[in-house]
Every structure is written in structure tokens, then in C-alpha cells.
Amino acid sequence: MLNVVWCVIRRDLKLALRRRSDVLTTLFFFIVVVTLFPLGVGPEPELLRTMAPGVLWVSALLASMLALGRLFAPDFADGTLEQMLLSAEPLLLIGCGKVLAHWLVSGLPLVLLAPLLGVQFGLPASSVWVLFLTLLIGTPVLSLLGAIGAALTLGVRGGGVLVALLVLPLYIPVLIFGAGAVGADVSGMGTSAHFLLLGSMLAGAVALAPWATASALRVAME
């Protein structure tokens, strides 16, 4: 079972290296959106420190959503997804491998880059660390939930807009508690409740989202 997941991850990572422009587009979008906010609101340190959690988390959420279009669509277009569906390997494991590869390509770079961008907002070191941990827990949830929307809209005209409408309501709790944890640390409050809620969301998404994604893929391929 692990060999199936590993083979899918390795394949998707190789394809991502061949299409580096798609990966860089997500990163540049994240950097540009985060950088424009200080230029627009002014250089007041207290204001920047207050708005930093929301700006960084919203930018990461939008960048993650931007990458959903290439989760299943390229394989659907060239017939690879249909061959995967007809293979003897469980579609659940194939979906897990593709979601994990998607997070490694689009989510993990955001997690590593966000602390550097948080410094320009004047976040203290402890808040930067909280930001890193919340994104490390929260971005896999975004990928898992986004995979459901991407599978449901596979092959649908205007699927990019539709997937945003589907997954945005599911993303809101992750955004609230992820940005809330950083904001609580900036304000000197405790963050344990936020981390517990983010962890429970991750556990629920890991347990349920792959099954929903596999079912959605089967429906889309029929």
C-alpha cells in the first residue's frame, strides 16, 4: 500500500519539476499579495503587526486554492486518471498520493516562506514560530478539502470558479483558527485551544477527505 502512495508521489513530483512555472506561479502570487499590503496600508508597525496573521493566512489560502486546478485536471485531460481508475490499485491510495504530492509542491513552500514574510510585518519571534506551526498543520487540511472540490468539478466547464465556491466555506474554520492562533500570540494570549482545534480538523480531514475524494473521482469519471 505504501509503495502505491510513494509511486504516485514520485510521479507527480517529477511532473511538477517539469512544469516549474506552475509551481512558481503559486509562490509568486503568495509573495506579491503579502508584500502589497504593507505598501497599501502604510508603515505603521502596530497596524502591520495586528493585520499580519490575517494577511498571511488569507494569502496562503488563496495561493493554495490557485494550485487546485492542477491536482487532477492534467491527468483527466490526457486519460491517465482513467487508467488509474481501471487499475487494480485502490483509488483511495492513489488519491492520497496525489494530495500529498500536491501539498509538497504547493503547500510546503508556503509554510517555509511565510515566516520570512512575517518578519516584514514586525511579528515577534514567538509569533513567527506559531505562524509556521499553524500553516504546517493547516495547509494539509486545505489540500485535503480542496481535493474534494477539485474532484467534484473535474471536467466541468468553469470548474475553477465552481471549486472556489465549493471549498471556500470549508476553508473558513481553518482560516479563523489559524490566523486566530497567531493573533492570540501577538496579543499575549494562549494558543493551545487554537492548536487543538486545528489538530482535530487535520485528523478529521485525514480520516474522511480521501474517501470523499475517491467517491467524487468515480462519479466524475462515469
Side-chain angles (χ1 to χ4, degrees):
M1 293 174 63
L2 292 178
N3 286 336
V4 175
V5 177
W6 169 243
C7 288
V8 174
I9 293 173
R10 185 174 58 183
R11 170 189 175 273
D12 282 11
L13 291 180
K14 287 181 179 179
L15 291 176
L17 290 176
R18 296 175 184 175
R19 297 193 292 260
R20 296 177 186 175
S21 60
D22 294 338
V23 179
L24 294 177
T25 298
T26 303
L27 290 178
F28 284 141
F29 176 84
F30 179 63
I31 295 171
V32 168
V33 171
V34 173
T35 305
L36 285 178
F37 271 93
L39 298 177
V41 301
E44 186 177 348
E46 191 62 33
L47 176 61
L48 292 176
R49 195 176 300 112
T50 302
M51 65 185 296
V55 170
L56 289 163
W57 253 98
V58 169
S59 302
L61 185 150
L62 294 176
S64 177
M65 189 182 302
L66 186 67
L68 290 178
R70 61 176 184 269
L71 181 54
F72 298 116
D75 290 337
F76 177 77
D78 62 14
T80 303
L81 192 60
E82 185 176 1
Q83 296 301 317
M84 291 180 177
L85 185 63
L86 295 174
S87 69
E89 306 300 340
L91 187 59
L92 176 68
L93 296 179
I94 295 174
C96 288
K98 293 189 70 64
V99 172
L100 184 54
H102 173 268
W103 179 77
L104 290 173
V105 171
S106 63
L108 185 58
L110 301 181
V111 175
L112 299 176
L113 193 60
L116 299 177
L117 296 175
V119 174
Q120 72 177 353
F121 287 88
L123 287 177
S126 61
S127 299
V128 171
W129 178 243
V130 171
L131 173 67
F132 173 79
L133 291 179
T134 55
L135 287 172
L136 186 63
I137 300 172
T139 48
V141 181
L142 301 182
S143 293
L144 287 164
L145 296 178
I148 302 174
L152 287 172
T153 58
L154 198 58
V156 178
R157 182 178 299 179
V161 177
L162 187 57
V163 70
L165 295 175
L166 286 174
V167 302
L168 266 178
L170 302 176
Y171 281 1
I172 289 176
V174 185
L175 170 65
I176 291 173
F177 294 113
V182 185
D185 187 83
V186 172
S187 303
M189 302 169 60
T191 60
S192 58
H194 297 84
F195 278 110
L196 288 174
L197 288 167
L198 283 174
S200 64
M201 291 179 192
L202 178 59
V206 170
L208 300 176
W211 296 94
T213 302
S215 299
L217 287 174
R218 290 190 181 94
V219 171
M221 298 301 295
E222 289 180 356

